[in-house]
Amino acid sequence: MNTYDKAIHIHTDILDQMYDIFHHEEEVCGLISGKYIEESEYKTVAKAEAFYPLPNIAPNKALLFVIDPVLQMKTYNEIFSKGNVVIGLYHTHPFNKGYPSETDRRKINDEYFWIIFGGQDLVHRTWWSCKDKRFLPARMVIE
Amino acid sequence: MITVNVASARGHDSTTFDSAQAALDFITSTAVNLEKWVFVNGELIADLTSLTLDRISHATDITLSNQLVGG
């Protein structure tokens, strides 16, 4: 049986930027840019370069996030213009832990890292989203 | 020829269509089935029924992008 190894290297400054936008009553979200530094069938290692907080436009922000599409597109273009790619998606669960929800799983539409910060235990957890709508546990290497 | 760009986390892919109808069919089916936002000339198209063949034919940039949603 093959073992997956998905790891995102991230500097504490970037992690702090994510913690800084935490809200106790509403989900917050953003994109993580960077580069993949190792990729094979079972192993993926990425290095984060920057965090882009983006507005949550969901009608019920306590339970959902929808990243503002116009700013998302603008952010994509900015990230690509710097020679980077989107390596991750960050969001919070104000009232739960950082495990993917059923909504998270259903809405997967790309392969990258998900960092979910849980307001219940104040712990972030890292995942890899697969196009077949699965999440794999991933590692965060804090630099 | 009409080019439709599809943006994902890794960049843009382009698909070219011979007719506006083929492009419109691709745009609407992809947007609905794969949950994509649609931008025409940089403008977000909130109502896909507002997309017409004429608008598609004269667009200089058509881009689809993943809807980033969760809970």
Side-chain angles (χ1 to χ4, degrees):
Chain A
M1 182 177 168
N2 293 299
T3 304
Y4 289 95
D5 183 14
K6 308 288 185 184
I8 180 170
H9 292 241
I10 193 162
H11 195 275
T12 50
D13 288 349
I14 296 175
L15 208 50
D16 286 344
Q17 291 170 34
M18 296 178 190
Y19 292 153
D20 284 346
I21 65 167
F22 179 74
H23 192 288
H24 290 280
E25 295 176 350
E26 297 180 354
E27 296 199 12
V28 296
C29 45
L31 293 171
I32 306 158
S33 71
K35 288 186 169 65
Y36 289 96
I37 53 180
E38 186 175 349
E39 285 189 278
S40 63
E41 187 175 0
Y42 297 103
K43 185 170 186 176
T44 306
V45 181
K47 181 173 174 53
E49 299 274 350
F51 173 60
Y52 296 81
L54 290 166
N56 176 7
I57 63 163
N60 181 359
K61 295 180 178 61
L63 296 173
L64 294 171
F65 76 90
V66 178
I67 290 185
D68 181 296
V70 174
L71 292 177
Q72 174 196 328
M73 200 66 245
K74 188 178 171 187
T75 304
Y76 269 27
N77 290 334
E78 182 178 330
I79 290 169
F80 300 150
S81 72
K82 292 180 177 175
N84 288 322
V85 296
V86 179
I87 62 166
L89 174 64
Y90 171 77
H91 80 285
T92 60
H93 291 166
F95 307 107
N96 290 298
K97 295 180 180 177
Y99 294 98
S101 67
E102 177 58 20
T103 305
D104 293 333
R105 192 194 63 73
R106 277 191 291 107
K107 294 297 184 179
I108 290 174
N109 55 16
D110 220 326
E111 289 184 309
Y112 46 34
F113 293 92
W114 286 53
I115 298 173
I116 308 175
F117 185 77
Q120 192 178 84
D121 57 1
L122 303 180
V123 171
H124 65 256
R125 290 176 170 83
T126 309
W127 309 89
W128 175 262
S129 58
C130 306
K131 284 190 174 170
D132 61 1
K133 307 279 187 189
R134 285 182 305 142
F135 279 103
L136 300 173
R139 293 187 295 124
M140 179 187 287
V141 180
I142 300 173
E143 298 178 331
Chain B
M1 301 287 269
I2 294 166
T3 299
V4 178
N5 302 305
V6 180
S8 70
R10 303 260 184 158
H12 293 85
D13 285 325
S14 296
T15 308
T16 303
F17 298 90
D18 291 332
S19 69
Q21 185 63 62
L24 182 58
D25 291 345
F26 173 79
I27 292 164
T28 51
S29 65
T30 304
V32 172
N33 297 330
L34 299 181
E35 298 183 323
K36 308 274 190 192
W37 301 118
V38 178
F39 296 86
V40 175
N41 294 340
E43 179 190 344
L44 177 67
I45 307 300
D47 177 11
L48 289 178
T49 61
S50 70
L51 274 182
T52 61
L53 293 176
D54 187 58
R55 197 169 178 188
I56 294 292
S57 301
H58 292 95
T60 54
D61 179 79
I62 303 170
T63 301
L64 310 186
S65 178
N66 290 335
Q67 294 180 7
L68 302 183
V69 177

